[in-house]
Amino acid sequence: MRSSLILPALASAFLMTAAGAKAEVILTAVPHQTTAFAEIYNPFNQTGDVRSVRDFMFEQLVVFNRIQGGKAEYRLAESFEYSDDLTSVTFKIRDGVKWSDGETLDANDVVFTFNLIKEHPALDTRAIWEKIAGVEMLDDHHVKVTYKEPSTGLIYDVARIHTVPEHIWSSVEDPVSFTNLNPVGSGPLTEIRRFTPQEYIQCRNPHYFQADDLAIDCMRFPQIANNDQTLTAAAKGELDWFGSFLPDIEKTYVAKDPENHKYWFPGGSLVIFNLNINSSEEGNKEAFSDVNFRRAFSMAMDRQAMVDIAGYGYPTINQYPSGLGRGYHAWNNPEADAQFGKFTEYNVKGAAALLAEEGYKDTDGDGFVETPSGKPVAFDLIVPNGWTDWVNTVQLAVEGLHEAGINARVSTPEAASWTQQLLDGSYQAAINALVVGVTPHMAFDTFHSSKAGASRFSATGYTNGELDGLLDGFFKTSNEAEQREIMDKVQMILSKDMPHIPVFNNPYWYQYNTARFEGFFSADNDQAVPTVHDGNPERILHLLSIKPKS
């Protein structure tokens, strides 16, 4: 809940709460870059700039630890069990959990939340109700979720729902637009101590079920707009836990305090270019719907330069035509590489030749091609303002496209606007990233027709019925050989159709400062994905690991 106490900006990790009292432990973190915070504590909101609501204010049932091979880390649930035919899963809800206002959290709240997102599909960002038949409370501590079809993989979405309190949300008229200014949550930090557009402070839940494991009293979130501002604050030692692209990190960050300024970059998200197949511009729609235009676009990408110049060598090049990525090479279908790998090789002359072969030509003498039907092709490639590595990546992309005769421009909207354009389909082309899971299925499943438009990860407009069937079938079997056969076919379809253009895999951007705290995850303490960013459920495990320095 929200407190009326207003504190000045904090530069220290500790604050005396009263004369002679124990110092309050405050961790400074940057989960998101923004030009100003908007006060919204709705865990279903995808575009708000307060990115500490999920996980830290509202917990999920189970976290599946990607670094540990998908190990189940139980949160609001303490166990789950499948039916013999894999058509249902029953969660046992943890006993003794309370909401931050002291009310009991039980199975009623879990069932209410599932029904809430059913009643308001805009909240169902993972399209869960496309795949489940029902949810029922068996007793105060058991919830049964029934699937429409057998699945060993739907659990990754079902368990990720952030449960909300029925006694609060049942009276909310419009949960989609609800700002929830007096939040009642289940997570470790539910009390808003201070909020301004430039900073907010989120403090301890007085009824947290893991209170004994939580050594942090508050987290302070300063408003930082871009990577340059992050670097300035980080170099001064003002940030404890963050994740940003820092150029020449050893020199610009580590060298400022070699004993305490640390980083770890485990392999992470797939960075891609999206072309909107449902573009509002006729010429762009014709081009983007043409697989050979998409292939030419891909051939104009100097991926190595993007990695070396824009990314300072931190990312990993991705030339898999399906976008698989090196982290999943054990799943690779070499036949997909053999047939379609040429379309992810840097070959601008080949890109121009492919366009000419398909009937694209410059009919008005401006140096850029028109479509085979004579319509203009011209589009903005949007990238969030201040995301300097991505901005530089897009600049390199546009240079390659111009050389191939494609009229593209760099556009840098604010991150919230970039996200909204991807969500509502008003963009033309964009750089984007897909989160990765225990298997390649999580990233590839963004192309399932049930996910279309549900999140920024499913923004191309591409669908394929055969692909849907394969993605659905992947988790209907626990047989690894059958799963590999399915994944081979998935890769062939995506390599042939190229609905997105993969360029590289980002590392998980993660830096930390041990001057005031210890227990941070690292290459030597690789307990879970370490980032503080929204979208990383494992960050709750990391928060519970961080302690004041002894």
Side-chain angles (χ1 to χ4, degrees):
M1 298 183 72
R2 186 165 183 172
S3 168
S4 60
L5 178 60
I6 303 296
L7 297 180
L10 302 170
S12 170
F14 307 101
L15 181 72
M16 296 303 292
T17 56
K22 180 183 176 182
E24 194 170 52
V25 179
I26 300 176
L27 179 79
T28 298
V30 181
H32 176 63
Q33 294 175 355
T34 182
T35 54
F37 293 120
E39 194 170 14
I40 301 173
Y41 307 116
N42 184 334
F44 305 110
N45 184 289
Q46 295 189 75
T47 59
D49 287 311
V50 176
R51 300 297 176 92
S52 58
V53 174
R54 287 175 282 269
D55 311 317
F56 295 154
M57 188 175 282
F58 294 92
E59 291 225 34
Q60 57 191 59
L61 296 172
V62 185
V63 169
F64 292 95
N65 191 329
R66 288 166 287 178
I67 292 286
Q68 303 299 329
K71 174 187 174 184
E73 308 274 6
Y74 293 102
R75 306 306 305 152
L76 298 184
E78 61 181 45
S79 66
F80 67 84
E81 184 177 359
Y82 287 110
S83 61
D84 291 340
D85 61 1
L86 303 178
T87 60
S88 69
V89 61
T90 298
F91 294 95
K92 183 180 181 183
I93 306 306
R94 189 180 296 274
D95 190 22
V97 177
K98 294 183 180 295
W99 293 105
S100 57
D101 63 357
E103 293 288 322
T104 298
L105 187 158
D106 61 20
N108 278 295
D109 296 297
V110 177
V111 173
F112 168 79
T113 302
F114 275 95
N115 288 331
L116 183 72
I117 68 171
K118 180 182 181 181
E119 184 179 351
H120 302 274
L123 306 179
D124 189 7
T125 58
R126 297 183 176 276
I128 287 172
W129 277 98
E130 296 283 338
K131 297 180 180 180
I132 66 174
V135 179
E136 61 179 309
M137 187 179 80
L138 303 182
D139 56 43
D140 284 348
H141 296 290
H142 290 86
V143 173
K144 180 180 179 181
V145 181
T146 302
Y147 299 164
K148 291 182 177 178
E149 296 179 331
S151 176
T152 59
L154 187 52
I155 185 74
Y156 300 130
D157 284 335
V158 168
R160 202 164 174 178
I161 292 294
H162 293 86
T163 300
V164 296
E166 180 183 20
H167 68 282
I168 302 293
W169 285 68
S170 60
S171 61
V172 174
E173 291 186 7
D174 183 4
V176 177
S177 63
F178 183 43
T179 55
N180 197 25
L181 294 183
N182 291 290
V184 173
S186 59
L189 306 171
T190 56
E191 311 302 287
I192 300 301
R193 181 75 60 80
R194 164 187 170 87
F195 188 93
T196 74
Q198 287 72 46
E199 174 192 83
Y200 69 98
I201 298 168
Q202 189 171 328
C203 296
R204 181 181 285 265
N205 175 354
H207 298 285
Y208 188 47
F209 72 94
Q210 275 191 279
D212 292 343
D213 297 322
L214 179 65
I216 306 301
D217 294 313
C218 301
M219 290 182 74
R220 170 182 172 254
F221 301 100
Q223 175 269 316
I224 289 181
N226 53 47
N227 291 338
D228 291 338
Q229 291 182 13
T230 302
L231 177 57
T232 298
K236 294 177 181 178
E238 295 174 357
L239 306 179
D240 300 309
W241 183 16
F242 61 105
S244 183
F245 171 80
L246 303 182
D248 198 3
I249 192 170
E250 290 285 346
K251 179 179 180 180
T252 60
Y253 175 60
V254 174
K256 304 299 181 183
D257 185 355
E259 185 177 346
N260 294 303
H261 287 187
K262 311 288 186 181
Y263 68 94
W264 176 35
F265 291 158
S269 59
L270 166 61
V271 177
I272 59 176
F273 286 105
N274 286 149
L275 302 179
N276 188 354
I277 291 173
N278 297 318
S279 170
S280 58
E281 301 293 331
E282 290 187 9
N284 294 345
K285 183 175 183 178
E286 181 181 342
F288 297 165
S289 299
D290 179 1
V291 66
N292 286 303
F293 182 90
R294 300 195 295 271
R295 289 170 174 171
F297 187 114
S298 175
M299 294 165 72
M301 298 296 100
D302 189 347
R303 291 168 172 81
Q304 196 62 57
M306 292 172 180
V307 167
D308 294 340
I309 298 172
Y312 280 78
Y314 305 149
T316 303
I317 193 169
N318 190 324
Q319 290 182 289
Y320 294 83
S322 67
L324 181 72
R326 192 175 299 171
Y328 295 120
H329 185 76
W331 291 88
N332 188 48
N333 180 356
E335 185 60 28
D337 295 341
Q339 288 193 37
F340 304 106
K342 63 183 178 181
F343 298 123
T344 54
E345 295 176 0
Y346 180 46
N347 183 357
V348 175
K349 290 183 178 178
L354 178 58
L355 289 171
E357 181 181 332
E358 296 301 316
Y360 293 84
K361 56 186 177 181
D362 179 10
T363 59
D364 58 10
D366 66 352
F368 300 115
V369 298
E370 278 70 47
T371 68
S373 68
K375 296 182 178 67
V377 180
F379 53 90
D380 286 342
L381 240 176
I382 61 172
V383 53
N385 181 38
W387 295 18
T388 51
D389 53 328
W390 276 20
V391 171
N392 292 336
T393 295
V394 171
Q395 289 172 339
L396 289 168
V398 167
E399 289 175 12
L401 293 170
H402 283 182
E403 193 174 346
I406 297 172
N407 188 3
R409 300 170 297 270
V410 180
S411 177
T412 56
E414 295 301 320
S417 175
W418 169 78
T419 301
Q420 188 59 46
Q421 289 182 59
L422 287 163
L423 283 170
D424 64 25
S426 61
Y427 82 104
Q428 300 296 312
I431 191 171
N432 202 351
L434 301 180
V435 293
V436 293
V438 178
T439 73
H441 185 276
M442 184 174 186
F444 290 160
D445 199 50
T446 58
F447 291 113
H448 195 287
S449 61
S450 69
K451 303 288 179 69
S455 73
R456 72 168 174 85
F457 306 115
S458 303
T460 65
Y462 167 86
T463 59
N464 182 305
E466 181 184 0
L467 179 65
D468 282 357
L470 291 167
L471 292 169
D472 289 341
F474 183 79
F475 286 123
K476 289 180 181 176
T477 176
S478 56
N479 184 291
E480 183 177 343
E482 292 178 7
Q483 287 188 328
R484 288 186 177 278
E485 182 179 354
I486 291 170
M487 194 52 64
D488 280 351
K489 293 177 181 178
V490 167
Q491 290 175 69
M492 287 298 289
I493 291 173
L494 293 176
S495 299
K496 177 175 179 287
D497 290 356
M498 193 167 271
H500 61 193
I501 293 89
V503 286
F504 55 79
N505 283 80
N506 261 343
Y508 286 113
W509 301 113
Y510 164 56
Q511 296 94 9
Y512 58 105
N513 181 355
T514 61
R516 295 176 288 270
F517 295 95
E518 59 190 11
F520 289 102
F521 295 167
S522 66
D524 296 324
N525 183 32
D526 56 346
Q527 295 185 38
V529 173
T531 60
V532 69
H533 303 132
D534 188 23
N536 173 32
E538 289 101 308
R539 64 181 178 164
I540 183 63
L541 308 177
H542 199 173
L543 176 63
L544 293 170
S545 174
I546 299 171
K547 317 289 182 188
K549 202 164 188 178
S550 56

